[in-house]
Amino acid sequence: MTLQILLKQAGSTWLLVFLLAACAGPAPAANAPAPAAARTASPAAAQSTPAPALAPASAGDALAACQVPAALTPPVTEGPYFKANSPLRSSLLQTGLGGMSLTLTGYVLNASCQPVANALLDFWQADSQGVYDNSGYTLRGHQFTDAGGRFQLLTVVPGLYPGRTEHIHVKVQAPNGPVLTTQLFFPGVQNNQADGIYNPALLITVEKAGAAAMQASFTFIIQ
Ligand code: FE
């Protein structure tokens, strides 16, 4: 039986297969990040990495301001509340969170100021009341930088909890690179100086802040 006849007989099946393939989009493997020990987030979720929105021009200024050799972003303690396998999502917002919304954009660069594409960023934080979700994944999520090394996180400004100033935890990792575990801090918070983990090198740059929303940026420099 020739291929032509086979295709004719199975015409409807081939059309269905074609349509399913078209709906599924590109093969997941093409977008899948290189495996690495600390890429603990769900592999299934990582296969559908959405393209992050472009960072605003102000974050581009940060890229232009990078000077070689750029100082590596300092690590700080992971703390007790990290959970592996966070969902793949750049927005941690959900109904009922309360607090001030925060849009954090920026870059992941290497010490040569080159953007790191497909870098993993795994964020976790307390809610606006200073409480972590340790049973579920509220305010936890991972994402990957785009081809230009850009990321965008939509979340809320975390609240205070005993002994700590406002902070967002994050693990950052270039494909096949070492994991940077660190925290981001907020400028102008009175508790910063009293927090032994606080490091001014980890302050986000607030670009716009209103009564209910804040826009800020940060550039990670990693190995
Ligand atoms: Fe914490």
Side-chain angles (χ1 to χ4, degrees), residues 18 26 50 86 103 120 137 139 190-192 208:
F18 174 79
S86 70
T103 301
L120 169 70
Y137 285 92
L139 291 170
Q190 196 173 9
N191 297 40
N192 281 349
K208 202 164 148 187

Side-chain angles (χ1 to χ4, degrees), residues 81 124 132 161 164 167 169 183:
Y81 301 128
W124 73 104
Y132 285 86
Y161 60 91
R164 294 304 318 276
H167 63 281
H169 296 265
Q183 301 180 20

Side-chain angles (χ1 to χ4, degrees), residues 100 102 104 157-158 160 165-168 183-193 198-209 214-218:
M100 178 183 286
L102 168 65
L104 179 69
V157 176
L160 299 169
T165 189
E166 293 175 7
H167 63 281
I168 295 176
Q183 301 180 20
L184 301 180
F185 298 98
F186 294 74
V189 178
Q190 196 173 9
N191 297 40
N192 281 349
Q193 300 304 329
Y198 170 74
N199 182 337
L202 297 168
L203 282 172
I204 60 172
T205 300
V206 176
E207 291 151 358
K208 202 164 148 187
M214 177 187 291
Q215 284 183 23
S217 65
F218 189 82

